[in-house]
Amino acid sequence: MADEIRAALRSQLPAGWRVIREIGVRIPAGNAIPDLTVLRPTAPSDAMWAEPADVLLVVEVESPSSRRHDRFTKLGLYAEAEIDWYWRIERAKSGPVAHLYQLAEAGHYELRHSVPAGAVETAQLPFPVRVAPADWSA
């Protein structure tokens, strides 16, 4: 599913923005490796680890083994690192559900939208991004 989301994001990013699969992100409590990371145009192209200031969005696709970590631990870690957006993709029986969190203040995310399978919404990052979970294979 991460590859499908990556392709969807990549097709909508303005010039210079990049979406990378499983690049390391340095965070205050250590390091994390999100399923997907959207990097700003100013991010170094050869870095093996991204600095939080270079990251606009991280995406985690839940699996049974990562569910608790993605819902609680990583949510807090990415907020503490002040990454603007965190998307958690839940594998529900009805299909994928995208939970879109935006940084409200340092160390705290607010849930902006939950987009269920079959629904389509436009997330307003610095540019509009169509979010259509049914288009992503489960």
Side-chain angles (χ1 to χ4, degrees):
M1 186 183 311
D3 288 333
E4 296 293 327
I5 298 167
R6 181 179 182 215
L9 284 170
R10 179 177 275 167
S11 72
Q12 299 179 72
L13 294 177
W17 293 83
R18 292 177 287 140
V19 58
I20 307 293
R21 181 102 195 260
E22 298 178 345
I23 186 174
V25 177
R26 296 190 192 283
I27 54 177
N31 298 319
I33 302 176
D35 291 319
L36 297 168
T37 304
V38 174
L39 296 172
R40 298 175 190 282
T42 55
S45 60
D46 61 347
M48 294 188 62
W49 289 90
E51 297 299 328
D54 293 329
V55 177
L56 170 69
L57 162 70
V58 291
V59 180
E60 294 289 357
V61 178
E62 282 187 5
S63 66
S65 63
S66 72
R67 184 176 175 201
R68 178 173 282 167
H69 195 58
D70 292 342
R71 288 184 181 200
F72 303 108
T73 307
K74 285 192 172 180
L75 178 78
L77 293 174
Y78 296 140
E80 184 180 341
E82 298 185 14
I83 294 172
D84 294 331
W85 287 90
Y86 173 61
W87 291 6
R88 181 176 54 82
I89 312 305
E90 177 182 352
R91 296 173 189 263
K93 290 181 183 177
S94 60
V97 177
H99 301 284
L100 314 180
Y101 297 87
Q102 185 178 20
L103 191 67
E105 57 185 61
H108 175 73
Y109 278 118
E110 287 184 4
L111 179 63
R112 294 294 182 198
H113 302 283
S114 288
V115 185
V120 177
E121 292 212 20
T122 300
Q124 293 298 329
L125 307 178
F127 42 84
V129 174
R130 182 177 180 268
V131 180
D135 292 350
W136 311 328
S137 59

